[in-house]
Amino acid sequence: MGYGVSIQDSSKDKYVTLQYDRGGSYQDGLCIGDKRKKDIGYRLIKCLFQIAGKKGNDGVWVLKAKNLTHNHEPAIDVSGHPSLCRLSLEDVQSFKNMTLSGIPPRQILSSLR
């Protein structure tokens, strides 16, 4: 645990490029004209990890390591990894049922936690 993977680029039934879910970098967007944007927390950490996959003529996917290096330690807390923090199908259904029953959002959140 400690590493999440997301799709960086893909084409259906042709190829896929996987990356660390916090990989990549932000475009320089701190300034708009002469106005400075509010400084917010950043999630991306420029990790270089990448795996490329290609679908062969026989329909079998072949994965190839492009870059297996990380510039960080494994995460201890998965809350910073969106790909690991999704609700299960049961939780989604429970959320829908509670919403339709008129339960306030704060109670739904407490229940899901």
Side-chain angles (χ1 to χ4, degrees):
M1 182 139 77
Y3 296 106
V5 177
S6 64
I7 297 173
Q8 178 184 17
D9 189 21
S10 69
S11 178
K12 185 175 179 169
D13 292 330
K14 291 184 182 179
Y15 71 90
V16 65
T17 304
L18 303 175
Q19 70 175 7
Y20 178 61
D21 69 344
R22 294 185 60 204
S25 60
Y26 294 99
Q27 295 178 355
D28 185 25
L30 292 178
C31 297
I32 299 176
D34 58 347
K35 294 184 180 180
R36 183 170 170 81
K37 277 187 181 179
K38 184 172 124 178
D39 191 18
I40 58 172
Y42 295 102
R43 188 181 63 79
L44 300 181
I45 58 173
K46 298 181 183 179
C47 180
L48 301 174
F49 177 83
Q50 278 189 336
I51 295 177
K54 204 172 197 179
K55 189 172 184 178
N57 294 335
D58 56 357
V60 177
W61 284 87
V62 177
L63 298 178
K64 181 180 178 184
K66 288 177 78 174
N67 190 336
L68 296 179
T69 60
H70 290 277
N71 60 355
H72 55 90
E73 295 297 319
I76 296 169
D77 181 17
V78 298
S79 64
H81 296 274
S83 63
L84 302 176
C85 295
R86 294 191 178 131
L87 294 175
S88 66
L89 293 176
E90 296 83 22
D91 287 342
V92 170
Q93 189 58 46
S94 177
F95 173 81
K96 287 179 181 179
N97 293 339
M98 288 188 273
T99 302
L100 293 173
S101 299
I103 297 174
R106 66 181 176 277
Q107 289 179 347
I108 294 173
L109 184 59
S110 295
S111 174
L112 290 174
R113 284 187 180 157

